[in-house]
Amino acid sequence: MKINFTLFIIIAFSINLWAQEKQKDSIKGNELLEVMVVTGTRTERVLSSLPLPMTIITSEAIAKSGVTRLNEILNEQTGIILIPDQSGFEGIQMQGLDAAYTMILIDGVPLVGRNSGVLDLSRVSVGNIERIEIVKGASSALYGSEAMGGVINVITKKPKKDMFSGTLSYRYATFNTNDINTNILWKKKKFSANLFTNFYSSDGYDLDKTTPLKNVERFYNSTIQPKLYYDFSENLKLIISNRFYNQKMNNVSIIDNENYKGDAKENEWNSQIKLEHKWNSKLYSEYELYATNYKNDSFLNDENNTLFEKTYYNQWLFRPEVRTTLSINNDKLTAGIGLNYETLDRTYFDNNVKFNSQYVFVQYDYNPTEKWNVLAGFRYDSHSEYASQLSPKLAVNYKFNTDFSLKGSVGYGYKAPDFRQLFFDFTNPQVGYTVLGYNVAEERLNQFEEQGQLLSRTAGISFDKPLEAESAVNFNFGTFYKKNKLKLDINAFYNSITNLIDTRVVAQKTNGQNVFSYFNISEVFTYGAEFNSTYNFTKEFTVSLGYQYLIAKDKSVIDNFEDYQYVRNSQLQTVKINKSDYFGLFNRSKHTANIKFLYTIPSIKTDINLRVFYRSKYGMFDTNGNQVLDKYDTFVNDYFITNLSASKYINDKVIFQAGANNLLDFTDPGQISNLAGRQFFARIQYNF
């Protein structure tokens, strides 16, 4: 069904314009509350004064949506799209940049265990989340590699006063999906604790009944997250936090028309010890020690129950860090120093490989007047496997008055070559092609030659100098407006990425297949704009509108377009195309939008939450042989997704919730693997 996107935007903007006209008659004193955030500056700041593009998802918004996993709530945010990779994991795309360029944190420390750059966000339950802070744009000045495109920080709940309280909830959904949460908060004098547990299971789903393989196989997982707090005094506080995650999934495959079955297991633990020390009214320090380990193991047996294949992945990260903030009148100077020690042992690596790096960062939060805020800083990383990186950033916010401000930022970001790009050594047993990491490629190619497996090497290819880190320059410029019942946030962005790491043919084997390795090849740019607005018509009725316009293209394609001009159209005719026919990078939509309605019925203590999401057409593959996406390729058509939830407050302690995700049951089995169709759910929660 063809969707009239223009009509959708006209209607949505009309609602906002009408809202502004009605504003004069609004009830006074209903200002939106100020929100304190920490991710953008590593210090506590008021959101409205922050000179960076940032989004906050509150615990209230998460609860009313009815979702249970981190990937689900992120997928409902403006400018964020979750893209499934070949493994089925959903990776985040922000400002047109891939998942490998976004750092994921829990309480300020990073998760590890990426598969081809993609982190499985369904590993994280939302049952104990206080808020989620999303910083868009290059953030390497504070967070280093993997933050080239932005940072997402999941902040969990913490006891705030002497009390014993908690929640117990159960949610049942389509596909025999079960979600059980327990979250206990306790505080007495100097000691406090938080214990969160979650059990989650599903039978998976199958969009194509003609094959024995499901899109998602049956699985179950559990999370245990204990946190302890001890206040030695008002000025010295200790935090000990741990997280344990375990999952088991059916592992099924069809190879050469034969069925193979087995299991796939994931195990993860995170441990953080932090000491907060307030020396005096002006000097504050944090001492942090963090360690994490992620493992997955899988196997496949043939029809005779004989082991056919076994794979493993075992990654460690150890990171101590010290941060200090000095308050100088209205300004803050923050500095930090730390080191990362990483190891990875996995299938298709010859050895257990290691990275180590040392870093220092400095940031100055300068407030010369009440109207001006300047945020300037840099980070320097020294790494064992690639050149040292200096990542500066400058951001400015000008507040015209309490309701209106302009903000802009420019920053440098980088993404280090990952373990796979440096040390991978894989030969496909069925097809016969080979993929080699950059650091092992020369030695393995020499071995292939000695064994008589190479037909030829690609001319001009050498591995003489180290693979360089990808780098990006990011610009943001926007405005923030908030008055009475209306909040408006607009941001324009531009990203220019150089030294993009991609695969390239380095040799041809005697079996006719190619050998690939990784090189700094392409230059990519993305630009666009985001619009977010919220209007409270009454205390009971709120409407929110979000929209993103995005262009994402490969500069080398534009500069050398004559290499891509000839394609085969649907009638198998050779056609010459123009530069204007080049659509851009794969899996990017020019238009995404959402509109959200929240309506409260006080008389029956019920909240109704309706969200509608739109994504315009996009291309996933080159289908006409010219290696780029153009108008003659096959596209995924634009579509709407509608989610609905209703929450009934039985009393102060019991909440019942029911709803449906993908209410209109949209699926596209041949092209979109992560749209499972309509999913009904019901949830009950007990507060104590």
Side-chain angles (χ1 to χ4, degrees):
M1 179 180 68
K2 183 64 178 176
I3 298 169
N4 191 330
F5 178 71
T6 304
L7 180 60
F8 174 84
I9 290 295
I10 291 173
I11 293 172
F13 269 94
S14 297
I15 291 173
N16 272 269
L17 291 173
W18 180 79
Q20 293 179 61
E21 290 297 319
K22 294 287 289 181
Q23 185 174 316
K24 295 179 181 178
D25 300 324
S26 64
I27 299 174
K28 301 292 183 181
N30 197 27
E31 295 280 347
L32 294 171
L33 296 176
E34 292 283 20
V35 179
M36 304 300 290
V37 296
V38 297
T39 307
T41 62
R42 292 281 189 110
T43 59
E44 199 169 71
R45 283 286 304 270
V46 174
L47 174 62
S48 61
S49 70
L50 194 69
L52 302 169
M54 191 164 184
T55 301
I56 302 298
I57 309 172
T58 64
S59 58
E60 181 184 17
I62 295 171
K64 289 181 178 179
S65 69
V67 301
T68 61
R69 318 307 287 181
L70 180 59
N71 58 316
E72 295 173 329
I73 191 64
L74 291 178
N75 206 29
E76 295 195 353
Q77 309 310 308
T78 303
I80 295 181
I81 302 174
L82 267 68
I83 308 296
D85 71 351
Q86 293 178 346
S87 67
F89 296 154
E90 293 180 312
I92 287 176
Q93 184 188 107
M94 288 200 311
Q95 293 191 349
L97 301 182
D98 284 331
Y101 307 120
T102 300
M103 177 171 280
I104 309 298
L105 309 172
I106 295 183
D107 292 324
V109 290
L111 295 180
V112 300
R114 292 176 181 264
N115 181 45
S116 300
V118 175
L119 200 66
D120 179 16
L121 300 178
S122 67
R123 282 157 48 184
V124 182
S125 170
V126 301
N128 67 330
I129 292 178
E130 178 66 31
R131 67 184 184 275
I132 302 171
E133 300 181 357
I134 304 169
V135 181
K136 297 178 181 178
S139 300
S140 295
L142 282 178
Y143 295 98
S145 182
E146 294 183 11
M148 190 169 82
V151 176
I152 295 176
N153 190 9
V154 175
I155 298 173
T156 58
K157 293 183 178 180
K158 176 183 177 180
K160 296 179 180 178
K161 58 183 179 180
D162 284 3
M163 63 177 183
F164 177 80
S165 64
T167 60
L168 176 64
S169 69
Y170 173 70
R171 180 183 185 270
Y172 183 80
T174 305
F175 312 126
N176 191 28
T177 302
N178 299 271
D179 184 85
I180 304 172
N181 279 333
T182 302
N183 191 38
I184 298 173
L185 298 165
W186 178 73
K187 180 174 173 62
K188 187 172 183 180
K189 296 182 179 179
K190 293 185 176 184
F191 186 76
S192 56
N194 173 214
L195 176 62
F196 173 73
T197 63
N198 172 257
F199 176 81
Y200 186 68
S201 68
S202 175
D203 287 347
Y205 63 89
D206 186 8
L207 297 176
D208 185 0
K209 306 294 184 182
T210 63
T211 70
L213 298 181
K214 293 182 176 181
N215 292 80
V216 174
E217 298 292 337
R218 184 178 181 182
F219 68 91
Y220 63 87
N221 60 53
S222 61
T223 302
I224 301 176
Q225 195 166 351
K227 297 181 69 176
L228 302 175
Y229 307 83
Y230 185 76
D231 299 344
F232 294 98
S233 67
E234 284 293 319
N235 298 325
L236 189 62
K237 300 180 180 182
L238 177 68
I239 302 171
I240 301 175
S241 176
N242 293 278
R243 178 174 174 270
F244 306 94
Y245 171 83
N246 297 277
Q247 175 170 281
K248 185 175 181 180
M249 173 180 277
N250 290 349
N251 190 20
V252 182
S253 184
I254 298 177
I255 303 173
D256 295 333
N257 296 319
E258 294 188 14
N259 296 327
Y260 294 83
K261 294 182 179 180
D263 289 330
K265 297 180 180 179
E266 287 184 86
N267 295 281
E268 176 190 9
W269 67 263
N270 322 101
S271 184
Q272 177 191 26
I273 301 175
K274 185 167 71 171
L275 191 65
E276 299 177 347
H277 187 192
K278 184 178 180 182
W279 296 87
N280 51 48
S281 60
K282 294 184 177 182
L283 190 63
Y284 172 78
S285 296
E286 291 180 313
Y287 312 92
E288 183 177 84
L289 182 62
Y290 176 63
T292 183
N293 174 236
Y294 172 82
K295 293 181 181 179
N296 69 46
D297 300 276
S298 64
F299 71 90
L300 285 172
N301 290 342
D302 62 18
E303 294 177 344
N304 298 318
N305 206 31
T306 302
L307 181 65
F308 170 76
E309 181 183 60
K310 186 174 183 179
T311 62
Y312 60 91
Y313 185 108
N314 185 7
Q315 183 177 3
W316 287 83
L317 169 64
F318 175 77
R319 191 187 78 177
E321 184 177 287
V322 178
R323 301 182 294 273
T324 297
T325 298
L326 174 64
S327 298
I328 309 169
N329 297 323
N330 294 324
D331 308 327
K332 289 183 179 180
L333 177 65
T334 302
I337 187 170
L339 66 88
N340 290 313
Y341 179 75
E342 292 182 78
T343 69
L344 177 60
D345 186 19
R346 64 167 295 182
T347 315
Y348 313 123
F349 280 21
D350 281 344
N351 302 298
N352 183 357
V353 296
K354 301 175 182 179
F355 283 172
N356 63 78
S357 64
Q358 303 81 40
Y359 60 89
V360 59
F361 61 87
V362 177
Q363 178 181 262
Y364 188 48
D365 190 346
Y366 179 50
N367 298 274
T369 69
E370 291 185 0
K371 293 181 179 292
W372 285 98
N373 173 237
V374 180
L375 197 65
F378 69 88
R379 172 168 163 149
Y380 179 79
D381 288 81
S382 175
H383 199 279
S384 61
E385 298 297 329
Y386 60 89
S388 300
Q389 299 289 317
L390 179 67
S391 308
K393 187 159 190 172
L394 176 66
V396 178
N397 186 82
Y398 181 74
K399 185 184 292 186
F400 288 88
N401 51 49
T402 56
D403 303 324
F404 177 61
S405 63
L406 291 177
K407 54 186 176 181
S409 63
V410 57
Y412 173 88
Y414 79 96
K415 169 67 174 65
D418 60 32
F419 287 110
R420 170 180 50 92
Q421 293 163 340
L422 294 177
F423 300 105
F424 205 45
D425 187 353
F426 170 74
T427 297
N428 184 282
Q430 282 78 41
V431 181
Y433 66 86
T434 296
V435 182
L436 300 174
Y438 187 88
N439 286 12
V440 303
E442 184 66 31
E443 182 180 352
R444 291 291 286 131
L445 288 172
N446 292 336
Q447 291 176 1
F448 285 152
E449 279 187 320
E450 293 172 2
Q451 297 165 0
Q453 294 187 44
L454 279 194
L455 183 63
S456 63
R457 288 202 189 196
T458 302
I461 294 292
S462 69
F463 301 89
D464 296 336
K465 62 179 183 178
L467 192 63
E468 296 183 43
E470 300 172 90
S471 61
V473 178
N474 167 253
F475 298 90
N476 288 278
F477 180 76
T479 180
F480 182 86
Y481 177 78
K482 176 177 69 75
K483 189 172 184 180
N484 297 330
K485 298 183 176 185
L486 177 67
K487 183 172 72 171
L488 180 66
D489 199 345
I490 301 174
N491 183 64
F493 58 86
Y494 178 85
N495 294 281
S496 176
I497 305 172
T498 57
N499 289 327
L500 190 74
I501 298 174
D502 206 346
T503 54
R504 186 172 178 181
V505 175
V506 297
Q508 187 176 26
K509 302 172 76 173
T510 53
N511 63 0
Q513 295 296 319
N514 291 323
V515 180
F516 300 88
S517 190
Y518 298 91
F519 291 87
N520 299 111
I521 298 176
S522 303
E523 294 185 29
V524 168
F525 63 88
T526 75
Y527 64 86
E530 288 184 15
F531 169 89
N532 275 292
S533 68
T534 300
Y535 188 79
N536 300 322
F537 286 88
T538 66
K539 290 182 178 180
E540 292 79 29
F541 183 48
T542 300
V543 177
S544 300
L545 172 68
Y547 168 72
Q548 178 184 263
Y549 174 76
L550 173 68
I551 295 294
K553 293 188 176 182
D554 188 331
K555 187 175 183 297
S556 64
V557 173
I558 295 173
D559 292 343
N560 303 284
F561 194 72
E562 61 275 7
D563 297 336
Y564 308 96
Q565 281 189 314
Y566 294 95
V567 303
R568 302 278 282 179
N569 63 16
S570 57
Q571 288 78 40
L572 300 181
Q573 299 169 325
T574 300
V575 177
K576 184 178 180 180
I577 62 174
N578 300 315
K579 278 188 181 181
S580 59
D581 297 324
Y582 172 44
F583 191 83
L585 301 182
F586 297 103
N587 228 332
R588 272 78 171 175
S589 295
K590 286 186 178 180
H591 309 283
T592 54
N594 61 74
I595 187 165
K596 304 175 183 179
F597 304 91
L598 178 61
Y599 184 60
T600 300
I601 309 174
S603 59
I604 58 174
K605 297 182 179 180
T606 300
D607 292 330
I608 299 175
N609 193 357
L610 175 66
R611 294 99 65 202
V612 182
F613 307 95
Y614 171 79
R615 183 176 182 185
S616 67
K617 72 173 186 176
Y618 60 96
M620 298 181 67
F621 309 102
D622 169 41
T623 56
N624 54 28
N626 67 338
Q627 302 179 43
V628 299
L629 185 64
D630 59 77
K631 72 176 186 179
Y632 290 102
D633 279 305
T634 301
F635 285 81
V636 178
N637 292 328
D638 50 357
Y639 61 87
F640 277 114
I641 296 295
T642 302
N643 296 342
L644 174 66
S645 61
S647 305
K648 166 67 175 177
Y649 297 82
I650 308 299
N651 51 44
D652 291 340
K653 293 187 175 182
V654 180
I655 303 170
F656 178 75
Q657 187 178 63
N661 292 330
N662 197 355
L663 181 65
L664 302 182
D665 198 25
F666 175 79
T667 59
D668 191 348
Q671 302 185 89
I672 312 177
S673 61
N674 61 329
L675 285 180
R678 186 186 296 114
Q679 302 158 65
F680 293 106
F681 66 87
R683 174 175 167 266
I684 189 166
Q685 176 175 309
Y686 176 71
N687 302 323
F688 56 89

